[in-house]
Amino acid sequence: MTELQILPVHGVPEIRPGDDLAEILAARVELRDGDVLAVTSKIVSKAEGRARPGPRQDAVAEETVRVVARRGDLRIVENRQGLVMAAAGVDSSNVAAGEVLLLPERPDDSARGLRARLRELTGASVAVLLTDTFGRPWRVGQTDIAIGAAGLDPLTDHRGRQDAHGNLLEVTLNAVADEIAGATELVKGKADQVPAAVVRGLAHLVTAEDGPGAAALVRSPENDLFRYGSRDVLFARRTVRSFTDEPVDPDAIRRAVSAAVTAPAPHHTTPWRFVVVESDGTQKRLLDAMAEAWAQDLRGDGFTEEQIGKRLRRGEVLRQATTLVVPCLVADGAHPYPDARRSEAERSMFLVAMGAGVQNLLVALAVEGLGSAWVSSTLFCPDVVRQALDLPDNWSPMGAVAVGHPAVAPTERPPRDPDDFMVRR
């Protein structure tokens, strides 16, 4: 069993821009080959001149790439370093009044530079970690993590090994850099003026090369099951018109429908029905019948065959999709009224509820990592759709949703000013 020592580095003075941090630390601790030196990112930032004047919220906004969640003044954001953390890592403690401190601009490069300078000064081959305090979404309290690393592989891969019972380890990937960073916080502490610590006993983890850095600990967007925070989720929906051949998980559709039916509806009714078209034969029969009905309508309107062909191609997105979902309105709970005005209002209430259900469906599909496109064509030939799908007469098709895995990354949505869509009275 490995025996560890964690040694606090005492006597570190106030760090100022341009200070030789390696020289200051090397003068206060004896470094040996195989040691791991954990340094709080704050003193690295100070040495690199990352202090800024002005309000903290302004600095947070400037350092934010993506807002993941927001509640009151609290923001969880992705910052320029690719880290998802509170307030973009901007710190207002232990700095001059009126100033804030940003994280090192390139934490891995800072760790590599510090390691090289320590080797030059001491001759010791050590690993260097830059640490910062970090909250966890499902745990109360904070711990330290590694935001920069050099001379140590930040991950230890146990996949493919066997445990003591002979079971194959399939997902065990230890974030060893974060484990070391958290351990050093036990002897550092924000209020104790101990900004660095040496971990001794992990020489087997220290490498000759600088390694991939702590950037290897940041999960890629495509592998992030929790990519969308509470603020992101609505903006994640895009209209996708190109799909791969990868099949859609039926359970993902079920979960999306489960979200869809949480929409509000009048009179405590449940007016949503979602016809999931998974069979290639059924999909072809439905789309062929719809195309023919549309072509007949267009001929009746005087369009040429060439014009008709162009318009029919607009519906090709439905043929590309792995799965189709046809939302249907079933207004069984609508109240009857003797006059047209109130009957129309009643119908409108149910249509609004149907739209809310479809929107919930589209957003939930995006959260599942699926692309979708709502196409209105079934609204123009409801009888054809009912016949092709063998639906009851009181089911009103409300368009069709093409569902699949996007073939290309979605484009950025142009920003829209909400004031352009608001009227105040």
Side-chain angles (χ1 to χ4, degrees):
M1 179 179 291
T2 301
E3 181 175 306
L4 299 181
Q5 288 181 293
I6 305 177
L7 311 172
V9 179
H10 293 289
V12 177
E14 178 67 24
I15 302 299
R16 303 188 183 283
D19 281 352
D20 188 336
L21 188 57
E23 186 175 56
I24 292 171
L25 294 172
R28 286 161 176 80
V29 65
E30 178 192 354
L31 292 174
R32 305 175 185 174
D33 286 344
D35 284 349
V36 180
L37 176 65
V39 183
T40 58
S41 62
K42 175 171 290 187
I43 63 171
V44 176
S45 292
K46 288 183 176 181
E48 293 180 354
R50 296 282 285 164
R52 297 287 184 274
R56 187 183 188 211
Q57 60 266 29
D58 290 352
V60 171
E62 291 173 4
E63 293 298 300
T64 294
V65 173
R66 177 174 64 96
V67 177
V68 175
R70 177 184 303 176
R71 178 175 294 171
D73 293 333
L74 174 64
R75 294 184 189 180
I76 307 298
V77 306
E78 179 183 347
N79 64 16
R80 296 179 187 276
Q81 291 79 11
L83 301 167
V84 176
M85 57 199 317
V90 176
D91 200 344
S92 57
S93 62
N94 292 314
V95 292
E99 287 190 345
V100 295
L101 196 64
L102 312 182
L103 291 178
E105 191 170 359
R106 289 181 290 275
D108 283 328
D109 286 350
S110 298
R112 292 166 187 147
L114 185 56
R115 184 194 193 208
R117 178 65 174 146
L118 288 168
R119 179 69 176 263
E120 178 184 330
L121 292 169
T122 68
S125 177
V126 302
V128 172
L129 298 180
L130 267 58
T131 69
D132 199 68
T133 305
F134 197 79
R136 289 82 46 81
W138 297 285
R139 304 282 288 181
V140 175
Q142 295 81 37
T143 186
D144 266 25
I145 65 164
I147 66 168
L152 179 142
D153 192 332
L155 293 162
T156 298
D157 193 348
H158 294 287
R159 291 173 297 184
R161 302 181 188 180
Q162 290 185 338
D163 64 15
H165 297 280
N167 299 310
L168 185 66
L169 300 176
E170 297 180 352
V171 296
T172 304
L173 194 62
N174 285 1
V176 64
D178 285 346
E179 292 174 334
I180 298 170
T184 62
E185 175 63 11
L186 295 173
V187 302
K188 289 187 298 181
K190 278 185 174 294
D192 297 331
Q193 299 296 309
V194 180
V198 174
V199 180
R200 190 158 289 160
L202 295 176
H204 61 287
L205 296 178
V206 177
T207 59
E209 300 79 19
D210 283 337
L217 293 163
V218 178
R219 196 183 301 274
S220 62
E222 60 270 19
N223 292 320
D224 188 353
L225 294 179
F226 307 97
R227 178 70 177 167
Y228 302 122
S230 57
R231 185 183 185 276
D232 284 330
V233 64
L234 290 176
F235 295 89
R237 189 207 64 78
R238 294 287 194 281
T239 296
V240 175
R241 299 187 181 279
S242 179
F243 303 96
T244 69
D245 294 331
E246 184 181 351
V248 170
D249 180 2
D251 287 338
I253 299 292
R254 293 187 75 256
R255 290 190 292 270
V257 171
S258 179
V261 299
T262 65
H267 314 317
H268 305 288
T269 60
T270 53
W272 316 278
R273 303 293 184 273
F274 297 92
V275 183
V276 182
V277 182
E278 299 172 315
S279 162
D280 290 342
T282 302
Q283 180 176 335
K284 185 177 186 305
R285 182 172 66 251
L286 170 65
L287 296 180
D288 286 349
M290 288 171 54
E292 179 56 32
W294 192 9
Q296 288 182 12
D297 285 343
L298 292 172
R299 290 188 189 103
D301 292 336
F303 285 90
T304 67
E305 291 303 314
E306 181 180 359
Q307 292 170 325
I308 291 171
K310 288 181 179 180
R311 282 161 174 76
L312 290 179
R313 282 193 289 273
R314 296 174 186 170
E316 286 302 306
V317 62
L318 297 177
R319 295 189 186 274
Q320 292 181 25
T322 307
T323 301
L324 292 183
V325 178
V326 180
C328 294
L329 171 62
V330 181
D332 285 343
H335 292 175
Y337 289 101
D339 61 284
R341 177 180 58 82
R342 285 184 291 173
S343 294
E344 179 63 25
E346 185 77 2
R347 172 72 175 173
S348 296
M349 286 198 304
F350 278 87
L351 287 174
V352 169
M354 193 68 215
V358 171
Q359 173 73 351
N360 278 10
L361 178 80
L362 299 177
V363 171
L365 289 170
V367 172
E368 294 283 348
L370 296 169
S372 64
W374 178 81
V375 181
S376 61
S377 51
T378 67
L379 288 160
F380 294 88
C381 53
D383 292 336
V384 170
V385 175
R386 282 190 285 264
Q387 182 177 359
L389 297 178
D390 192 23
L391 302 179
D393 291 342
N394 65 331
W395 286 33
S396 300
M398 294 283 120
V401 178
V403 183
H405 294 273
V408 295
T411 58
E412 288 297 320
R413 180 183 285 113
R416 293 171 178 168
D417 187 341
D419 287 336
D420 293 340
F421 304 90
M422 297 170 60
V423 176
R424 291 180 172 88
R425 293 289 187 266

